Amino acid sequence: MTPRVLVLNGPNLNLLGRRRPEIYGAQTLADIEAACRERAQALGLALDFAQSNAEHELIDRIHAARETAQAIVINPAAYTHTSIAILDALETFEGPVVEVHLSNIHKREPFRHRSYVSLRADAVIAGCGAQGYELALERVAALLRG
Ligand code: CA2
């Protein structure tokens, strides 16, 4: 069976490409989704791609992925630094979890240096821009292959 990966994006990432390109790059979330779909197909992965500005919707997506996906790639955006609830949800998920940030959060304000999600993530990619999502899919494919 083709393994399925959920790529999940947190608040404000729907605005990518329209503001702050110096930090987050010029690509829109639709551009990133298209690149992920292409890379997933090449890696033999099925893909679900979602974004929400609401913490509870992100949690509901993670819960649903327990039944529908074998791995999660997540950019929790600002919830990275605040959400024990998203960490708890990810801890109920049994497959690989890769955390992605477009920017290098460690080069930015001190409040961005702490990630609750990293306490669960099997890998963290930061500062690679949109390419980070494709690198995350490659890592997930390797982890799923065993
Ligand atoms: O670097 C990342 O990917 C972040 O997860 C992005 C979050 C930020 O809170 C994290 O510290 C690091 C913010 C996403 C906001 O996206 C915007 C997109 C366009 C314009 C303004 C914000």
Side-chain angles (χ1 to χ4, degrees):
M1 204 183 63
T2 305
R4 183 166 289 276
V5 181
L6 171 65
V7 178
L8 192 55
N9 295 280
N12 299 306
L13 289 167
N14 54 309
L15 298 179
L16 280 179
R18 283 177 240 162
R19 289 193 49 226
R20 314 296 310 265
E22 70 286 1
I23 299 178
Y24 299 122
Q27 286 178 279
T28 66
L29 197 61
D31 294 334
I32 292 174
E33 178 175 357
C36 283
R37 290 201 179 282
E38 198 171 317
R39 182 56 64 105
Q41 193 176 16
L43 291 165
L45 301 169
L47 193 82
D48 292 327
F49 193 98
Q51 186 275 333
S52 177
N53 293 321
E55 188 175 25
H56 72 276
E57 285 179 12
L58 296 167
I59 292 165
D60 287 345
R61 288 278 188 175
I62 294 165
H63 291 175
R66 286 159 43 80
E67 310 297 330
T68 60
Q70 281 64 58
I72 296 176
V73 171
I74 183 167
N75 183 347
Y79 287 137
T80 306
H81 319 296
T82 63
S83 181
I84 297 167
I86 289 176
L87 169 63
D88 286 346
L90 288 169
E91 282 179 342
T92 73
F93 183 79
E94 286 180 5
V97 173
V98 179
E99 176 183 349
V100 174
H101 298 286
L102 294 155
S103 63
N104 180 356
I105 55 177
H106 301 289
K107 209 175 167 183
R108 300 183 64 193
E109 305 94 321
F111 66 83
R112 295 187 202 273
H113 297 178
R114 180 186 67 182
S115 166
Y116 285 111
V117 168
S118 292
L119 293 169
R120 164 63 181 89
D122 298 294
V124 182
I125 297 168
C128 297
Q131 190 190 6
Y133 286 79
E134 294 183 60
L135 297 172
L137 288 173
E138 284 195 30
R139 182 63 188 151
V140 152
L143 289 171
L144 290 174
R145 275 196 300 270

